[in-house]
Amino acid sequence: MKRWGDLSQETADHLTAGSVLDQAEMAVVVTDRFSNVLYWNPYAERLFGRTGTPSGDEPLVSLGIMEKDHPHAIDLARHVLSGGVWEGTFDVVRDDGTMVYVRAQAVPLRHPSGPISGIVVIAREAMRSNEREKDRFGLLERIGERLAGSLYVEETLNRVAEMLVPQFADHCFIELVQGDRLVRKVSRHVHGWTPPPGTWLPVGSEISYPLGHYADTALRRQETILVEDFSQVSFPMPSEGSARLFAEVGMTSAIVAPLCVRGETLGLIYLGLSNLTDRRSPHYDTFDRDFLGAVATRVALAVDNALLFEEERHTAESFQKHLLPRDLPAFDGLEIAHRYFPAAPLASHGQGIQTQVGGDWYDVIPLSAGRVGIVIGDVEGRGAKAAAVMGQLRAALRAFAQDDKPPAEILARLDEWTRVVAAPERDDFGADITNPPIVTCQYLVYDAWSRQLSFANAGHAPPLLIVDGKVTELDITEVGQPLGVRAKGVHADLVYKEETLTLPPGATLLLYTDGLVDRRPLRDFGGPSSDGTEEDETLRMLRDELAKVSSESVERIAEAATGAVPGEIDDDMAILVVRSVGAELELQERTFPAQPIMVGEARRMASEAFERWQVPQERADLACLLVSEVVTNVVLHAAGAGVPRRELVLEGPPLPFDESWDVPGFEEDIAGEKEFTLRLRCGKDAIWVEVFDQDLRLPRIRSAAETDEGGRGLYLVDQLAKRWGSRPTREGKAVWFEIPVGGR
């Protein structure tokens, strides 16, 4: 009888290394010290979806390891070549496009003489039970339900932590970006355990992860990072206390997922496993990583919604304190005064006496070439909602005004925006309870150099015009509907019409909201009204008071208007007083043929004007340079510009078709019509240059190549001017830029 272990020759032949590896139901891959694949067994071919014999110059990652797991492959090589054993999971994409989760263990391959000559990787498919998937998806569904019920940031984050600890993690940190800081908002741990002072930072602390920390990597790369086994890898720690506690609790595994929404990183969520609990598996794997990535996506959306909600709430509260700009900038050719008063205190259903704020607003907006946009408006109602709507409308109008469109077009766009603000609402029974805001608005554009005033009205009370001591209402023939209430199917261009007039020197406009004339009579709270006045009477009283102070300053006029009508303010009130100064402002304008030789003439005209206006030489030279660039741009594109339509009148009988366009001088006449106008303005602190032409195409900056002869003109204007832009006109367009007279 043979001793135990004695084998026949036939059996020994079947136990060669090659025979065993060929039949093993486990993948075996061998690499050299540079991670180049030297060998794989038949099962590895099936697992990784590869065929053929390794060439010896393909890296380990060429087996289909997904790019996001390449750092794990690098960690594997570094750890094993230093003599350690590595274990982890990879996502692998086979050649046929299918994906498989591979659990791998890597050990050193040693030469008979002792040195490490390569790496042996033993791998198998990572099995995921249906129960585990069902458990994770159920948890994800419950988290979504909890998130849907909160609109407050801290409540939202705490609900998430409650769901994840202890079911999925022993430790949960959630941190949000605030400005340039990362602040811890949630610190939740298993069994009510609390980190000792001086170790892991508490809620409210600023967190700074060192470079190379897996959380720092997650934030920078905006992807979920999995650390399967802390015994296999090491990372820098935020502090000595953090590192000490990390070892004491026996952290085994962690996942960090960034909270990203709309391309912006809001923060991160950190989950960790430790020896504080006895779990069936003390390590996370790639399936857990994908699960937390899905959770992070939902949390990011919920946090973003909560932040937007809190921002809107804060905006309403802020408007209650600072509804309107406290100071307005100085404008050439205008004197401005403004007032705002909230409504008088009112009893508010058991909440005491409160000051009522509302949606009245005014604004004065700098436009192109020294022109000014003037607006006053009123959102119906009072309280935070009216203030919030007012804030959105005011911001929208400021943005729309920068397009330099006519006032009627600005109101048409604001009308559409008002409809967007009025989002549909339904009660618990599905009934429509939408209450869209009713907004009146007056928008005017004033050019102090020409004294031209253009305006459009959306159901607002006409301004009062004060000229030579006489007070009248501004003559508005087209008063459109309030914003947001025009009938369906009626285009806004048919509702809002633009009107234009020229203001006399020294003329004053008083723009106001209805709170100025709709006063509550002086009486005790709750008492009946006995001496109310009609609207015509209040307007008469207001005109009389304004006539008395018409020659005084705009501040005095604003004060007189405030107290002109007796009674307490029943609604919030906004007043804006604008006066056209009597002095003429510096202006020079000239029209040139659109010919290259005229570029020098335009520059000479500008130089002479700036010298006459005593513009500092440095600023004058800069402005002349930009005049040349803009005029050159106009002249170069004049040949491609469309010719304005004109009426062709021929005397005599009609010509035959083939001769009808053969009119002597017609082509020369058309060609001669291409021209541009240079307009120069000088104000107290700046000079403005405008160039008008008949080309409807608006200019744009383009990137010129090194060998291009042109294409840099507008780039120079953009870099050297304080502001520049273009706007359409009835005949074509205007390109303008602004140069400060003082320092930039």
Side-chain angles (χ1 to χ4, degrees), residues 701-712:
I701 300 176
R702 69 180 182 89
S703 179
E706 294 182 0
T707 57
D708 289 350
E709 295 183 1
R712 300 175 179 85

Side-chain angles (χ1 to χ4, degrees), residues 148 227 353:
V227 182
I353 302 299

Side-chain angles (χ1 to χ4, degrees), residues 49-232:
R50 311 287 290 182
T51 57
T53 303
S55 61
D57 57 359
E58 296 182 57
L60 181 63
V61 295
S62 67
L63 294 179
I65 297 175
M66 295 184 68
E67 185 177 355
K68 63 185 178 63
D69 285 338
H70 286 185
H72 299 319
I74 296 173
D75 291 340
L76 178 153
R78 184 185 298 114
H79 190 72
V80 173
L81 291 176
S82 64
V85 176
W86 187 93
E87 186 174 354
T89 306
F90 294 113
D91 292 356
V92 173
V93 178
R94 295 167 168 155
D95 287 346
D96 61 3
T98 60
M99 191 176 75
V100 64
Y101 300 93
V102 175
R103 185 72 179 178
Q105 185 181 52
V107 297
L109 176 65
R110 296 184 182 273
H111 191 269
S113 61
I116 298 175
S117 60
I119 302 171
V120 177
V121 180
I122 303 169
R124 57 181 172 79
E125 184 175 356
M127 303 302 294
R128 299 177 297 162
S129 67
N130 291 334
E131 284 297 321
R132 185 184 179 203
E133 290 188 17
K134 183 178 179 180
D135 178 65
R136 292 291 184 263
F137 291 136
L139 178 59
L140 186 62
E141 183 178 356
R142 292 195 298 274
I143 288 175
E145 292 174 356
R146 295 292 294 272
L147 291 177
S150 175
L151 276 177
Y152 297 91
V153 175
E154 292 187 4
E155 180 182 355
T156 298
L157 300 180
N158 282 309
R159 285 185 175 186
V160 173
E162 290 173 2
M163 298 291 291
L164 294 174
V165 178
Q167 181 175 349
F168 190 66
D170 297 337
H171 311 277
C172 176
F173 300 107
I174 303 180
E175 289 137 17
L176 296 183
V177 175
Q178 294 182 351
D180 57 353
R181 304 188 308 151
L182 187 65
V183 179
R184 180 157 291 168
K185 294 295 184 180
V186 171
S187 177
R188 190 174 184 86
H189 309 274
V190 72
H191 305 319
W193 178 83
T194 303
T199 56
W200 293 343
L201 294 176
V203 172
S205 302
E206 180 179 354
I207 307 299
S208 179
Y209 291 106
L211 187 65
H213 192 279
Y214 47 95
D216 177 70
T217 303
L219 284 173
R220 287 188 292 104
R221 291 165 53 178
Q222 290 192 349
E223 67 178 53
T224 305
I225 300 297
L226 165 66
V227 182
E228 286 196 60
D229 192 347
F230 280 113
S231 66
Q232 303 292 329

Side-chain angles (χ1 to χ4, degrees), residues 585-607:
L585 300 179
E586 299 288 357
L587 171 70
Q588 185 163 344
E589 180 178 319
R590 180 180 167 187
T591 299
F592 300 88
Q595 301 172 2
I597 196 174
M598 291 296 105
V599 176
E601 289 296 323
R603 180 173 180 135
R604 184 179 301 107
M605 166 190 161
S607 178

Side-chain angles (χ1 to χ4, degrees), residues 676-695:
F676 67 89
T677 299
L678 176 63
R679 179 185 295 167
L680 309 174
R681 303 172 182 237
C682 183
K684 179 181 178 182
D685 299 317
I687 52 177
W688 290 272
V689 175
E690 293 177 285
V691 179
F692 300 83
D693 67 354
Q694 293 79 39
D695 190 353

Side-chain angles (χ1 to χ4, degrees), residues 496-561:
Y496 306 111
K497 302 295 183 180
E498 179 182 352
E499 301 179 55
T500 303
L501 59 84
T502 301
L503 287 183
T508 303
L509 282 173
L510 173 71
L511 297 89
Y512 63 94
T513 58
D514 55 7
L516 178 62
V517 292
D518 294 343
R519 297 295 184 93
R520 188 168 9 134
L522 292 171
R523 63 185 186 277
D524 294 333
F525 284 100
S529 174
S530 58
D531 56 346
T533 54
E534 298 294 334
E535 182 178 354
D536 291 343
E537 179 63 17
T538 56
L539 281 176
R540 185 191 60 78
M541 296 168 62
L542 178 60
R543 290 197 195 97
D544 291 345
E545 289 298 318
L546 294 178
K548 296 177 184 178
V549 296
S550 60
S551 60
E552 301 187 34
S553 67
V554 289
E555 291 290 340
R556 180 69 185 92
I557 291 176
E559 285 294 329

Side-chain angles (χ1 to χ4, degrees), residues 372-391:
V372 179
I374 304 168
V375 60
I376 194 159
D378 185 359
V379 179
E380 185 183 45
R382 60 182 65 176
K385 181 177 180 180
V389 172
M390 176 272 285

